[in-house]
Amino acid sequence: MNDRLGLHTIRRRKLTLSGVKPMGKHQWKFECFWLYGAVSIATGKSFFWEFSHLDKVCFEAYLQLLSIPYPHELHIIQVDNAPAHNLGASELPDNIILLFQPPACPEVNPTERVWEYLKIFLARSVFSNLDELRIKVQEVLVSFTPACHWFSHRMVLDFTFFISITSLKKWYNSYGFRAGRSCHDAIEQIFTVICQKAKYVLDADIAKCFDRIDHEALLKKLNTFPTIRRQVRAWLKAGVMDGKQLFPTSEGTPQGGVISPLLANIALHGMENRITQAFPKRKVYKGKVRRIYLCCPPNPICR
């Protein structure tokens, strides 16, 4: 399911004459990345994606990415019992089922042989940087099967950022600008909430919303990896060009930027809770006023 690949030279046995010491290049560099992958035994199709860590966040992001290009297929993925693989049912896409193998027996998972076979081509090789290693890994994986799907490091950086800050399982009623939270999903959720009885709708327009977003408060809400946080900070501090003049951006997100609507959506997170706390619903129950806070139900589609 996943394996770590890096610049530290992979050592393998080497045949030499009796009494001759085997010689070879070796380097002690520990830059690495984690490659997640799934292979279909029946068709040979494969789906590989690079991440920076091995944890539940990256594993959940990989499963979400795997489910998108094959929405109408049921995927049964065999994994071991590592803590990073133990996801709850609410964290899995609807078309993915995890099949946990018995402990201490990786040989029952066919994908483990893919990683071992891959390392045969990488053994005793010295790579100056991770980009060279990625090119070599891509060539080897494509040679296995023409149906291999590989994604480069830059695309991985973008989508890791996209998934890590937009999975947002607790944002039940926050929609827009990300997969599974489109306008159509919002319409369906509204219908689910109001189909039984009429309800009030609060329509609010925040003046200069994009222009007054606090950068530091926004970065704290991201709760993502330091590398991605630095990239977002660079976007926020990049400035705005008007003609030939550059204007600094000490606050706010530039309107018109492809990432600005998503960042504004993140910055507004928590508004629903503040509204329900400020205006709780009151209900008369046996002559007494009973206070009930309005907590909207989770989205049945994007759990």
Side-chain angles (χ1 to χ4, degrees):
M1 189 64 197
N2 45 61
D3 199 6
R4 181 172 57 185
L5 303 174
L7 300 182
H8 185 70
T9 305
I10 301 175
R11 293 179 293 180
R12 288 290 187 270
R13 292 183 178 182
K14 191 174 183 180
L15 294 177
T16 62
L17 296 176
S18 177
V20 178
K21 183 179 180 179
M23 304 293 292
K25 295 182 179 180
H26 187 82
Q27 69 176 0
W28 293 85
K29 290 185 178 180
F30 296 95
E31 299 178 42
C32 64
F33 58 84
W34 286 88
L35 187 62
Y36 291 64
V39 181
S40 173
I41 302 177
T43 63
K45 292 183 179 180
S46 57
F47 188 87
F48 295 90
W49 204 284
E50 175 192 338
F51 286 93
S52 58
H53 291 73
L54 173 62
D55 53 24
K56 288 186 177 181
V57 175
C58 294
F59 183 57
E60 180 183 357
Y62 173 78
L63 296 181
Q64 295 287 348
L65 294 168
L66 175 61
S67 65
I68 292 175
Y70 309 103
H72 304 296
E73 300 180 10
L74 178 62
H75 306 279
I76 302 177
I77 302 178
Q78 182 177 345
V79 295
D80 56 27
N81 288 274
H85 298 157
N86 292 326
L87 300 180
S90 61
E91 299 171 311
L92 294 175
D94 294 335
N95 60 338
I96 288 183
I97 298 175
L98 296 182
L99 177 62
F100 291 95
Q101 65 192 35
C105 54
E107 63 276 2
V108 301
N109 191 342
T111 310
E112 295 294 336
R113 286 175 284 182
V114 174
W115 304 126
E116 290 299 324
Y117 193 59
L118 171 63
K119 290 183 178 181
I120 294 177
F121 296 89
L122 304 179
R124 296 186 294 274
S125 299
V126 176
F127 303 96
S128 59
N129 52 60
L130 290 179
D131 289 332
E132 290 186 7
L133 175 60
R134 292 186 184 98
I135 295 174
K136 179 62 176 179
V137 173
Q138 181 179 4
E139 293 175 354
V140 175
L141 292 178
V142 172
S143 67
F144 289 169
T145 168
C148 171
H149 296 274
W150 166 270
F151 297 89
S152 66
H153 174 65
R154 291 181 177 87
M155 185 179 298
V156 169
L157 176 61
D158 297 338
F159 274 86
T160 303
F161 162 75
F162 180 81
I163 292 296
S164 61
I165 67 177
T166 58
S167 56
L168 307 177
K169 296 303 180 181
K170 296 182 179 179
W171 294 25
Y172 295 137
N173 298 287
S174 176
Y175 290 87
F177 313 109
R178 57 192 189 274
R181 293 286 182 167
S182 65
C183 295
H184 294 285
D185 296 318
I187 293 173
E188 185 163 355
Q189 174 66 358
I190 292 173
F191 174 79
T192 303
V193 174
I194 69 174
C195 63
Q196 300 297 330
K197 60 181 296 185
K199 295 186 178 181
Y200 290 99
V201 176
L202 174 62
D203 185 10
D205 186 9
I206 303 175
K208 297 184 179 181
C209 174
F210 287 87
D211 299 335
R212 296 182 177 178
I213 293 177
D214 185 86
H215 289 175
E216 296 303 322
L218 174 60
L219 292 172
K220 290 180 180 179
K221 282 189 176 182
L222 291 182
N223 190 26
T224 185
F225 306 125
T227 303
I228 300 174
R229 185 179 290 106
R230 288 194 294 268
Q231 179 64 61
V232 176
R233 183 187 294 274
W235 287 336
L236 296 175
K237 302 295 184 181
V240 179
M241 289 290 295
D242 187 3
K244 295 183 179 181
Q245 187 174 2
L246 175 64
F247 296 91
T249 51
S250 58
E251 62 178 359
T253 60
Q255 295 193 43
V258 294
I259 201 65
S260 294
L262 177 58
L263 294 178
N265 203 349
I266 296 172
L268 296 176
H269 173 53
M271 180 179 295
E272 179 184 350
N273 295 335
R274 295 296 297 270
I275 293 176
T276 55
Q277 292 174 4
F279 303 98
K281 181 179 179 180
R282 294 174 177 268
K283 182 178 180 180
V284 178
Y285 181 73
K286 291 185 179 181
K288 297 181 180 179
V289 177
R290 183 179 181 183
R291 178 171 295 183
I292 302 177
Y293 291 92
L294 299 177
C295 296
C296 297
N299 186 0
I301 299 177
C302 305
R303 296 171 295 178

